[in-house]
């Protein structure tokens, strides 16, 4: 007979000597516990067993409660109730579905009964494991469907203006992500919107809010028309010049923040984001940085990278907050590198972060191209992480303006790296 683990309840009259002798002659592993221990001990201290051997005098409902606790630990044992004379009590256990042993307690008879119980317990565990696998497969299928739906919210192709390159790396930590990026045209193609955002947390909840926030931002921006925002010009003299695309930018961010804080503040989800609007003809950029990692403007001359600092809080945190505009100029040879915190906070096996200083070190010198910048940083993140688990989503976007202008279909324009 294969090894059978037996829990013997020892707070009632002990099993008869003949029954104990039969157990000793078989390949069993008896452990003694009181019913109180089975009902109140910490779950991790409960024994794993095939059979729970109890006297007929034990309270049937209490035994069932103990079995339920053991089931949560590692599967329910088969209850075998023994008696010498308490047949009325035995009948109550039988009605509860418990097995039983009565004299004579001959080794062959006891062995056959316990062997049968062990096989039933094993079959029960197998069925529960099969159910768990089926449930897991169903869950994984749902996640895969969620991943496919989420992928539909990311742009299949990027609208790349003449004389520009856009490269993206997007690596979720799980099957669904809280990070997202978007690139789309505004003002009848006169401006290009670039968005990189990071919803707090990760997994399914973050992915749902990612889809909501992305949709709100794009819909509001695309439907804000051709309004101009009068902003202080850089020509001196206090003159005011129109900034095409600034109104859709402000409308999108403030409206999204307003919707989230009015309707979803209780859920506790928010998103940091960088939303820039580029004039492809001049390279001028107006942007809002809502609590996001400052993107880095990499100079074609190799100067120290310029961070595009925060201009307002994350969206979804503060009702009626104020967002201000930032301005930058992307000249020929420059690259705007936008990333989420999964890059500097990538962890190696001992838990150390890649760090902001290392990011700046890797980006030192004039950028060769957006593709080179993204691939260099992605390689550094992977090498730093090594065999460790990826703790956060990683998203990078490089907007590069080559010195020699190339058309949108030239090599290197609009590349995406999705892994």
């Amino acid at each position: 007979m294969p090894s059978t683990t037996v829990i013997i309840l020892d707070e009632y009259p002990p099993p008869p000597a003949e029954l104990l002798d039969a157990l000793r002659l078989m390949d069993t592993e008896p452990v003694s516990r009181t019913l109180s221990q089975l009902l109140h001990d910490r779950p991790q201290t409960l024994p794993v067993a095939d059979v729970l051997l109890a006297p007929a005098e034990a309270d049937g409902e209490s035994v069932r409660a103990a079995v339920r606790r053991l089931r949560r630990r590692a599967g329910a044992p088969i209850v075998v109730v023994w008696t010498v004379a308490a047949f009325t009590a035995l009948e109550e256990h039988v009605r509860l579905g418990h097995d039983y042993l009565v004299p004579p307690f001959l080794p062959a008879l006891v062995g056959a009964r316990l062997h049968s119980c062990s096989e039933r317990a094993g079959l029960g565990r197998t069925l529960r494991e099969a159910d768990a696998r089926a449930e897991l497969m169903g869950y994984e299928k749902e996640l895969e469907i969620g991943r496919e739906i989420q992928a539909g919210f990311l742009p299949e192709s990027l609208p790349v203006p003449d004389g520009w390159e856009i490269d993206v790396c997007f690596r979720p930590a799980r099957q669904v992500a809280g990070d997202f990026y978007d690139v789309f045209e505004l003002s009848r193609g006169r401006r290009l919107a670039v968005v990189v955002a990071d919803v707090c947390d990760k997994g399914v909840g973050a992915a749902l809010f990612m889809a909501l926030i992305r949709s709100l931002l794009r819909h509001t921006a695309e439907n804000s028309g051709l309004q101009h925002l009068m902003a202080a010009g850089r020509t001196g003299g206090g003159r005011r010049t129109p900034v095409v695309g600034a109104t859709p930018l402000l409308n999108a961010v403030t409206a999204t923040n307003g919707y989230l804080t009015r309707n979803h503040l209780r859920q506790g989800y928010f998103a940091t984001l960088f939303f820039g609007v580029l004039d492809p003809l001049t390279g001028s950029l107006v942007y809002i940085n809502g609590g996001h990692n400052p993107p880095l403007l990499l100079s074609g001359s190799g100067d120290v990278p310029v961070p595009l600092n925060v201009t307002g809080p994350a969206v979804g945190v503060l009702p009626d907050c104020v967002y201000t505009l930032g301005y930058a100029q992307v000249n020929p040879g420059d690259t705007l590198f936008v990333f989420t915190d999964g890059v500097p906070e990538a962890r190696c096996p001992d838990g150390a972060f890649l760090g902001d200083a290392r990011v700046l070190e890797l980006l030192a010198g004039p950028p060769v191209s957006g593709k080179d910048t993204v691939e260099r940083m992605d390689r550094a993140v992977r090498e730093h992480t090594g065999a460790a688990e990826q703790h956060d989503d990683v998203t990078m976007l490089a907007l590069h303006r080559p010195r020699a202008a190339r058309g949108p279909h030239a090599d290197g324009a609009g590349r995406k790296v999705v892994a």
Side-chain angles (χ1 to χ4, degrees):
M1 170 180 171
S3 177
T4 301
T5 304
V6 179
I7 300 174
I8 300 176
L9 291 184
D10 65 355
E11 61 185 355
Y12 297 96
E18 297 85 353
L19 179 54
L20 292 176
D21 289 340
L23 293 176
R24 279 192 290 267
L25 291 173
M26 297 180 299
D27 185 14
T28 61
E29 300 175 20
V31 294
S32 295
R33 292 290 189 277
T34 65
L35 194 54
S36 177
Q37 288 174 322
L38 296 180
L39 290 172
H40 303 296
D41 281 0
R42 292 178 299 171
Q44 58 268 31
T45 65
L46 295 176
V48 177
D50 300 308
V51 174
L52 174 60
L53 189 62
E57 291 83 356
D59 178 68
E61 292 300 331
S62 297
V63 172
R64 292 184 71 182
V67 169
R68 284 196 294 271
R69 292 200 78 215
L70 291 167
R71 178 185 291 115
R72 290 194 292 269
R73 166 77 167 130
I78 302 299
V79 177
V80 179
V81 179
W82 63 268
T83 190
V84 175
F87 294 106
T88 301
L90 178 63
E91 184 180 8
E92 295 300 321
H93 282 279
V94 172
R95 287 176 179 173
L96 293 175
H98 299 162
D99 211 324
Y100 65 93
L101 281 170
V102 294
F105 299 114
L106 301 176
L109 298 178
V110 173
R113 181 61 57 87
L114 294 188
H115 177 62
S116 173
C117 292
S118 178
E119 288 187 334
R120 287 160 53 196
L123 177 60
R125 283 193 294 269
T126 300
L127 291 175
R128 282 188 292 274
E129 290 169 1
D131 287 343
R133 285 195 297 270
E135 184 177 354
L136 179 60
M137 290 176 65
Y139 177 68
E140 290 176 345
K141 179 62 176 177
E142 292 294 324
L143 277 181
E144 178 61 22
I145 293 172
R147 189 196 68 78
E148 293 174 359
I149 292 173
Q150 185 182 46
F153 283 94
L154 301 175
E156 291 185 6
S157 60
L158 306 179
V160 184
D162 290 352
W164 292 84
E165 298 175 0
I166 302 176
D167 292 87
V168 177
C169 172
F170 176 72
R171 287 198 289 111
R174 299 179 182 174
Q175 285 185 288
V176 289
D179 282 10
F180 70 92
Y181 66 93
D182 203 0
V183 180
F184 55 95
E185 293 180 340
L186 288 175
S187 303
R188 298 179 183 172
R190 296 162 59 192
R191 296 294 182 267
L192 188 73
V194 177
V195 182
V196 173
D198 181 2
V199 179
C200 70
D201 204 3
K202 48 186 176 289
V204 175
L208 291 173
F209 273 82
M210 163 265 175
L212 172 64
I213 294 169
R214 182 265 187 193
S215 299
L216 288 170
L217 288 171
R218 178 183 269 231
H219 177 79
T220 308
E222 289 181 331
N223 289 276
S224 290
L226 293 173
Q227 298 166 297
H228 293 171
L229 178 73
M230 301 301 292
R234 295 182 177 241
T235 57
R239 291 188 299 159
R240 302 175 71 83
T241 59
V243 180
V244 177
T247 295
L249 168 62
L250 273 173
N251 286 349
V253 175
T254 55
T256 299
N257 181 71
Y259 179 87
L260 292 174
T261 53
R262 284 193 309 272
N263 298 284
H264 298 290
L265 200 60
R266 184 176 58 184
Q267 280 78 29
Y269 281 93
F270 61 89
T272 68
L273 65 85
F274 175 83
F275 193 150
V277 176
L278 173 73
D279 181 349
L281 295 180
T282 66
S284 65
L285 181 78
V286 58
Y287 66 87
I288 288 175
N289 183 344
H292 199 73
N293 299 76
L296 297 171
L297 184 57
L298 312 178
S299 170
S301 62
D303 293 340
V304 175
V306 176
L308 306 189
N309 289 317
V310 171
T311 64
V315 295
V317 177
L318 300 174
D320 304 319
C321 63
V322 175
Y323 292 91
T324 58
L325 300 177
Y327 301 90
Q329 178 66 36
V330 186
N331 294 314
D334 293 353
T335 294
L336 176 65
F337 182 62
V338 193
F339 55 97
T340 57
D341 58 10
V343 175
E345 294 180 8
R347 301 182 191 178
C348 65
D350 66 7
F353 290 154
L354 179 67
D356 294 321
R358 179 59 177 156
V359 170
L360 289 173
E361 180 183 337
L362 289 163
L363 295 174
V368 176
S369 67
K371 178 183 178 183
D372 175 76
T373 300
V374 167
E375 290 182 347
R376 187 188 334 151
M377 291 305 304
D378 186 47
R379 184 166 54 251
V381 169
R382 290 178 184 271
E383 290 175 352
H384 181 79
T385 304
E389 177 187 0
Q390 181 181 335
H391 286 271
D392 202 358
D393 305 324
V394 172
T395 303
M396 294 178 274
L397 183 148
L399 178 66
H400 180 65
R401 188 180 186 186
R403 293 186 185 278
R406 292 185 284 184
H409 301 295
D411 179 47
R415 286 178 293 261
K416 291 201 298 178
V417 180
V418 181

